[in-house]
Amino acid sequence: MSQLPADARAVVIGGGVAGCSVAYHLARLGWTDVILVERHDLTEGTTWHSAGFVGQLRSTVTQTRMIMYSAGLYPELRELTGLDPGWHGVGGLRLATTPERMEELLRQAGAVETYGLDLELLGPGGTLDRLPLLEVGDVLGSLWLPGDGWLDPARLGHALAEGARRLGVRIFTGVEVTGVDVHDGRVTAVRLRSQDGEDGGEHVVRTETVVDAAGAAAGVVGRMAGADIPIVPIKHQYVVTPASGVPADTPTVRDPDNIVYFREEDGGILVGGYIRSPQIWDTGRPLSEPRTLFAPDMPKFRESWDSAVRRVPSLRSVGDGDDPAAFRKVVHGPEAFTPDGEFLLGETEVAGLWVAAGFCVHGLAAAGGVGKVMAEWIVEGAPEYDVFRMDVRRFGSYARSARWARARALDSYSTYYDIVYPGEERTAARPLRRSPAWVRHEALGASFGEKAGWERVNWYPPTSDEDVARPRGWAGRVWSPAIREECLATRDAAGLFDQTSFAKLEISGSVADLERLAGNALDRPVGSVVYTQLLDRRGGIEADVTVTRLAEDRFRLVTGTAFGAHDAALLRRHGLAVADVTSAYACYCLWGPRAYEILASLTDDDLTFGYLRAAEISVGHVPVLAQRVTFVGEFGWELYCPSEYGLTLWDSLMAAGLPHGMRPAGYRALDSLRLEKGYRVWGLDVTPETTPLEAGLGFAVRPERRAALPRPHTALRCLVLDDGRDGERDGGRDGGRDVCLGGEPVRLDGRPVSRVTSGGFGHRVGRSIAYAYLPLDVHPGGRVDIGVNGGRVGATVVREPFYDPDGLRIKAEPWR
């Protein structure tokens, strides 16, 4: 304790691979005044008992890139530190035993084209050639990833720690964190106590940067500072068989249809799996003892063991799996899971308190990438990669409920190896957040989805028996013909969309302060609505929003449902006063050519204010802020009212609109409509890795800011897929059709150049549409092909927006 400093630039809490990697990468970026504290010895929390798999192919490109970076870093650590990180680059197999899983492998193989990741698609014979000990009678195919392998977790942790030490990081073991001091919402110090009892006093280290990498105990550390970190410790089990001559170069194997994975270890086989009935480690002091393990629970492991025996018949010699003594070891330890099965990274609501935890069993694989992005985030203000799906701020205040987090984490674990189809909804811990009109949606038989805890209508029941073509493949799995009906009603009459889940932030301060973050000019008259991006210092798009000027020094920013906490933190980090008023207001969007007639029948107020203007009006008896803005490319308004009026406003709009042919409509129609109009979605079409100039949003950036943006090398282009018929004439009713869902590889002149950011079917234009970033010299009329449903489909680059390119419908004046 006497060696601990009084001050440090950063304090990293946790001596597992994540903490050691963050410390190492901070030092690589020049932050050498860093200390790392661990209450036990290094790696003795959750790292030491990890199975150590490194599988590079993941469901998101960012996580894949992080693991690819990690796989490249681990072999280098021996040279950098003189320590062997225990890297075994044996390659990996991912098996498919069902047609559905084979579809998934084909999609993954297509995506890999754009990742720069080596991969080979094998049939049953090729799979057996790679690993002769397998039974492949039910195997339809596999993916072979030569860059995969496995690590010795303790060796990796010590190699990362030694690398950090050599760069100046000081590491202290046997030191417990007893408190994190916070003043005015910012970390100021960490309180420490020696575990050996030699120094009974408390030592205070002053610092403004703390990284909580405490694994299963990360939630406890967060609460010391008043931060909610939804970590759920769940028991996870694997076994290692006695040595039986299994070669050391045996590839790793994942057999997700049978919820089992395995690899070689010391001449035997390590077998693990994701059981269907997981159990939470319910304790107030997780990891208080070193090397925590639980008693073997062989009945719970039975399904995974039986699957392993079917796949590797030689395992029958070990027994039926009921006797722990038959194995060389049984490892039953705690793993840190999260409500959605993704990592928790980034700065919490407490300024200066960062988290790197919740690795859901595959933390070793990504540990190098975790250290890289965390260090870049802390030192440079933003990581190289778009990490929103791992950002701790993706969760709002609803995640403070331990019961909610547990229910979601258990569901995430138990379905970890299941195929997740795009648009498929999870049911755990629902419903939670509901619009005032939810009771009406339910009464109409709406199909609900969920986002950020909000129940949102995907679609209402179809009203016609007209035959509408179901999209081929995965795009047709979560689908309804009602989507087309709702789109066409919005085009021909009006659609009423419940957008109450929009995140709404009220900002107080000078327009100059807000404009420093925004790309567009905001110093406009009160009542102006401005579409803009919030940009980082590199010009990357941190948010895609509308800003309404309510008063000289008061603004309302509206952003996506899941982005409120993220965007509020971004604004506060730039010194702006922000209040989250999402739940204070209902929001209904009335869009379509008959929207004026419908709303005019409910109000005596003037509705002739122009596009991108806002006005206070009364709708029936309800006070409403009406904004002339659209996300579907049709005339109309976003209508905001205090939540207590929300049900009354919905009922009034429905009663007035139905005689005009208006229909209530859901989010799947909204996505189709916005795609035709070329409206971007943050996190898909635009991210911190893209600039407004690349994204085709230069019109929303004021001249002086635009001049400072980096010169683009690619441009987001609208692609219309070939379908072999006149889709506009028949409205998309005949035959099947290929529809992109996002992530599909795009080839130019036979070479992979990009991937689809988002895609879908445009029902107003009767064509399948996709967006992708392409080289600047690819203009409208250019041709590409896209990997869809295991084949290749041609597509033409078209001028955008594809629907109503001159914006005549948006800017219409129906009162004239």
Side-chain angles (χ1 to χ4, degrees):
M1 289 286 284
S2 60
Q3 298 176 348
L4 281 165
D7 300 272
R9 194 167 191 180
V11 176
V12 179
I13 300 171
V17 290
C20 291
S21 182
V22 172
Y24 170 67
H25 284 86
L26 282 172
R28 279 182 59 168
L29 291 182
W31 278 33
T32 54
D33 183 17
V34 175
I35 68 168
L36 182 149
V37 296
E38 163 60 47
R39 75 167 90 179
H40 307 303
D41 285 330
L42 294 178
T43 77
E44 289 194 340
T46 53
T47 290
W48 73 277
H49 62 70
S50 169
F53 280 67
V54 177
Q56 298 176 84
L57 183 59
R58 296 291 170 177
S59 59
T60 68
V61 63
T62 293
Q63 202 170 96
T64 299
R65 289 163 72 185
M66 288 170 64
I67 297 175
M68 289 173 66
Y69 170 84
S70 301
L73 172 67
Y74 299 154
E76 296 173 6
L77 278 174
R78 184 200 302 263
E79 182 177 339
L80 292 171
T81 66
L83 296 179
D84 179 6
W87 169 244
H88 301 260
V90 294
L93 288 166
R94 186 177 179 91
L95 310 182
T97 62
T98 64
E100 293 79 11
R101 187 70 66 178
M102 198 63 203
E103 279 186 292
E104 182 187 50
L105 292 195
L106 290 171
R107 282 182 59 83
Q108 290 173 328
V112 161
E113 286 188 11
T114 66
Y115 293 177
L117 183 63
D118 288 339
L119 177 146
E120 184 179 356
L121 187 63
L122 305 176
T127 303
L128 186 63
D129 289 342
R130 286 288 178 188
L131 189 53
L133 58 80
L134 295 180
E135 165 55 51
V136 297
D138 62 340
V139 172
L140 302 180
S142 69
L143 290 183
W144 165 248
L145 293 111
D148 282 7
W150 61 278
L151 287 154
D152 181 294
R155 287 183 176 182
L156 173 62
H158 284 287
L160 286 165
E162 179 60 23
R165 283 193 188 98
R166 293 188 176 209
L167 293 174
V169 174
R170 287 170 288 177
I171 296 176
F172 300 90
T173 58
V175 175
E176 181 180 5
V177 177
T178 58
V180 179
D181 292 350
V182 176
H183 182 69
D184 288 339
R186 170 167 284 282
V187 165
T188 58
V190 176
R191 298 181 177 272
L192 306 170
R193 182 175 59 216
S194 174
Q195 289 278 74
D196 60 19
E198 292 181 2
D199 185 347
E202 197 173 55
H203 185 92
V204 177
V205 178
R206 293 183 295 271
T207 185
E208 292 187 348
T209 302
V210 174
V211 181
D212 177 2
V220 174
V221 173
R223 287 192 291 274
M224 292 179 182
D228 294 296
I229 300 175
I231 293 288
V232 181
I234 293 181
K235 298 178 179 181
H236 185 75
Q237 193 166 204
Y238 67 82
V239 300
V240 180
T241 68
S244 57
V246 178
D249 61 355
T250 297
T252 65
V253 179
R254 289 173 177 80
D255 186 357
D257 288 324
N258 296 287
I259 61 171
V260 67
Y261 60 81
F262 49 90
R263 66 167 174 83
E264 181 273 341
E265 182 166 309
D266 295 331
I269 298 180
L270 180 153
V271 177
Y274 292 88
I275 62 176
R276 296 297 187 186
S277 55
Q279 184 179 357
I280 288 171
W281 183 27
D282 197 1
T283 177
R285 301 187 69 238
L287 306 183
S288 59
E289 300 296 326
R291 294 181 169 253
T292 299
L293 287 180
F294 313 113
D297 190 343
M298 305 319 293
K300 276 190 176 291
F301 195 67
R302 185 61 184 264
E303 183 179 358
S304 292
W305 177 251
D306 287 348
S307 294
V309 171
R310 288 196 302 272
R311 186 63 58 219
V312 183
S314 62
L315 289 175
R316 293 193 184 98
S317 63
V318 179
D320 58 12
D322 291 337
D323 182 8
F327 299 103
R328 190 161 61 83
K329 61 181 178 181
V330 177
V331 177
H332 192 198
E335 292 284 353
F337 266 76
T338 65
D340 60 2
E342 297 285 355
F343 298 173
L344 289 180
L345 306 178
E347 192 172 24
T348 68
E349 66 263 39
V350 177
L353 178 66
W354 299 75
V355 63
F359 296 120
C360 307
V361 180
H362 57 278
L364 245 74
V370 165
K372 167 186 161 63
V373 301
M374 287 293 294
E376 291 169 348
W377 215 339
I378 293 167
V379 175
E380 300 172 356
E384 177 185 356
Y385 309 145
D386 168 28
V387 293
F388 176 75
R389 292 190 187 184
M390 306 174 208
D391 192 329
V392 65
R393 295 168 300 180
R394 69 186 182 272
F395 295 113
S397 58
Y398 56 90
R400 293 174 185 162
S401 165
R403 293 189 180 190
W404 179 88
R406 289 179 177 189
R408 295 295 290 239
L410 286 171
D411 178 64
S412 176
Y413 181 104
S414 64
T415 59
Y416 192 79
Y417 266 163
D418 287 0
I419 298 171
V420 179
Y421 295 105
E424 193 170 66
E425 301 290 346
R426 297 169 66 176
T427 59
R430 291 176 58 189
L432 182 60
R433 307 171 79 183
R434 288 179 271 189
S435 157
W438 179 85
V439 291
R440 300 293 189 255
H441 307 324
E442 186 184 42
L444 289 171
S447 174
F448 288 99
E450 180 268 342
K451 196 165 193 177
W454 283 98
E455 294 294 314
R456 312 193 311 174
V457 176
N458 281 337
W459 57 74
Y460 295 90
T463 60
S464 168
D465 58 3
E466 181 181 19
D467 184 27
V468 179
R470 179 182 292 271
R472 296 187 186 99
W474 281 21
R477 285 186 169 271
V478 184
W479 175 87
S480 169
I483 300 168
R484 178 174 182 272
E485 294 181 17
E486 293 168 11
C487 289
L488 298 188
T490 304
R491 179 194 68 184
D492 298 335
L496 182 62
F497 298 80
D498 186 346
Q499 305 263 256
T500 297
S501 67
F502 274 170
K504 313 166 196 81
L505 308 175
E506 293 213 349
I507 304 165
S508 301
S510 74
V511 68
D513 289 339
L514 182 54
E515 209 171 56
R516 274 192 285 273
L517 185 57
N520 213 338
L522 301 179
D523 193 3
R524 306 187 190 195
V526 172
S528 296
V529 181
V530 179
Y531 171 58
T532 187
Q533 291 74 47
L534 305 183
L535 306 178
D536 63 27
R537 61 187 180 185
R538 298 181 300 198
I541 300 172
E542 286 281 357
D544 188 64
V545 302
T546 58
V547 177
T548 302
R549 193 167 196 174
L550 303 176
E552 287 298 318
D553 59 351
R554 192 162 60 89
F555 306 84
R556 182 179 295 169
L557 180 149
V558 177
T559 186
T561 298
F563 308 145
H566 169 274
D567 293 2
L570 177 65
L571 293 160
R572 291 180 183 124
R573 196 160 63 242
H574 285 76
L576 293 156
V578 181
D580 188 335
V581 296
T582 299
S583 299
Y585 297 97
C587 174
Y588 308 129
C589 298
L590 177 63
W591 291 314
R594 306 200 71 178
Y596 177 79
E597 296 173 65
I598 295 167
L599 194 60
S601 72
L602 293 170
T603 183
D604 298 320
D605 294 314
D606 181 14
L607 297 178
T608 63
F609 52 92
Y611 183 55
L612 294 179
R613 295 288 300 170
E616 297 279 359
I617 66 172
S618 294
V619 179
H621 304 299
V622 177
V624 167
L625 176 68
Q627 299 192 166
R628 269 288 306 277
V629 67
T630 179
F631 196 56
V632 300
E634 302 287 352
F635 173 92
W637 298 269
E638 294 174 355
L639 303 171
Y640 296 86
C641 71
S643 289
E644 66 268 27
Y645 298 100
L647 185 56
T648 300
L649 179 59
W650 178 268
D651 287 346
S652 297
L653 292 167
M654 286 288 287
L658 291 178
H660 290 274
M662 183 198 81
R663 283 190 57 155
Y667 271 82
R668 294 294 293 276
L670 183 79
D671 194 54
S672 171
L673 295 164
R674 72 91 192 166
L675 194 71
E676 294 171 303
K677 194 61 183 172
Y679 293 143
R680 281 47 168 156
V681 170
W682 191 83
L684 297 176
D685 307 305
V686 294
T687 74
E689 295 185 38
T690 59
T691 71
L693 297 185
E694 293 173 307
L697 298 174
F699 67 89
V701 184
R702 60 190 185 272
E704 66 273 18
R705 191 74 189 266
R706 187 164 58 242
L709 292 173
R711 184 177 179 181
H713 298 288
T714 61
L716 187 62
R717 300 297 193 194
C718 180
L719 312 175
V720 174
L721 278 65
D722 299 344
D723 55 14
R725 56 188 174 80
D726 186 352
E728 192 163 357
R729 185 187 66 237
D730 62 35
R733 290 189 291 273
D734 70 336
R737 51 178 174 252
D738 292 305
V739 175
C740 293
L741 296 167
E744 292 87 355
V746 179
R747 288 184 176 183
L748 177 66
D749 297 328
R751 57 187 176 85
V753 294
S754 187
R755 56 187 165 272
V756 171
T757 59
S758 63
F761 194 84
H763 294 278
R764 289 178 298 191
V765 297
R767 301 302 296 270
S768 184
I769 300 169
Y771 273 80
Y773 283 90
L774 297 174
L776 292 178
D777 59 359
V778 181
H779 301 290
R783 295 283 295 172
V784 298
D785 63 88
I786 306 174
V788 189
N789 296 324
R792 308 218 60 90
V793 178
T796 301
V797 179
V798 299
R799 175 192 171 200
E800 61 166 331
F802 193 43
Y803 177 74
D804 187 25
D806 297 320
L808 299 180
R809 297 177 71 90
I810 294 172
K811 298 172 184 176
E813 297 181 344
W815 53 86
R816 292 188 182 276

